Amino acid sequence: AVFNDRGWRTLNLPHDWSIEHAFVQNAPTGGGGGYLPTGIGWYRKRFNLSKSALSKAVWIEFDGVYQNSDVWINGNHLGHYPSGYMSFYYDLTPHLKSGENVITVREDNSRQPNTRWYSGSGIYRHVWLNIANPVHVAQWGTYITTPKVDSSSATVSIKTKINNRNAVSKDALLRSI
């Protein structure tokens, strides 16, 4: 189904649509929410991919959407994320096509009050479209710890998860410096 979004305005992310409205003394958010309105917001982004990009791994990462978000790519529901304060991502690879693709995001901040301070509404942090070779370090796939530390030395442990989207095993070299 084709959705006509031509009447929607163009904006830049990050974006907080609550702050664009008037302050209302009896707003459901109360003083902690800044006396601003909340509700449901929709976002759409069109982007083009070449046929060669379809052989890559592609995912979208949201640094923050406040809150209760649902995300679609080309009409395919990717998931629901309830938290408004944490990053999350979705694999777009199986749903992409050569040419125009459409990401749709719905966020619902209508249940009020829901926080102790002003949260805003919408995609209020950055969004990243990541494109990688079929063999790549997984999203959030590097874990660095210091299991042993004293005043003269430290042991550093690095664990890295590698994704291989190929149908067969591939040789790869991982170097952690």
Side-chain angles (χ1 to χ4, degrees):
V2 176
F3 179 80
N4 184 354
D5 59 5
R6 296 195 196 287
W8 291 22
R9 71 179 174 144
T10 300
L11 52 83
N12 292 316
L13 298 178
H15 174 252
D16 171 9
W17 59 263
S18 283
I19 198 72
E20 297 175 348
H21 295 277
F23 296 94
V24 178
Q25 186 173 2
N26 63 349
T29 58
Y35 298 109
L36 286 165
T38 61
I40 296 172
W42 288 89
Y43 295 84
R44 286 171 63 93
K45 173 70 177 173
R46 297 172 189 281
F47 64 97
N48 289 305
L49 285 178
S50 65
K51 189 173 185 176
S52 64
L54 299 180
S55 65
K56 306 275 187 175
V58 183
W59 66 96
I60 189 166
E61 177 185 357
F62 294 87
D63 284 349
V65 179
Y66 203 83
Q67 69 177 335
N68 291 310
S69 65
D70 285 277
V71 179
W72 292 264
I73 179 70
N74 298 327
N76 297 288
H77 186 248
L78 299 173
H80 175 80
Y81 197 77
S83 177
Y85 297 116
M86 296 181 62
S87 299
F88 60 97
Y89 70 96
Y90 295 110
D91 181 15
L92 305 181
T93 310
H95 308 292
L96 295 172
K97 57 188 178 181
S98 179
E100 185 178 80
N101 291 270
V102 180
I103 292 272
T104 304
V105 178
R106 177 188 187 268
E107 60 81 27
D108 182 354
N109 189 17
S110 60
R111 297 187 78 191
Q112 293 294 327
N114 64 26
T115 187
R116 298 181 309 241
W117 55 82
Y118 179 73
S119 64
S121 298
I123 303 175
Y124 72 102
R125 292 185 182 159
H126 291 290
V127 178
W128 310 99
L129 182 65
N130 300 296
I131 301 174
N133 287 324
V135 177
H136 60 276
V137 174
Q139 177 73 12
W140 304 328
T142 302
Y143 307 93
I144 302 173
T145 59
T146 51
K148 184 178 177 188
V149 177
D150 61 39
S151 61
S152 63
S153 67
T155 300
V156 177
S157 173
I158 302 173
K159 296 179 182 179
T160 305
K161 180 179 178 184
I162 303 297
N163 281 351
N164 178 9
R165 299 190 71 90
N166 293 298
V168 296
S169 296
K170 294 287 183 175
D171 290 331
L173 173 66
L174 172 66
R175 185 177 298 150
S176 298
I177 301 176

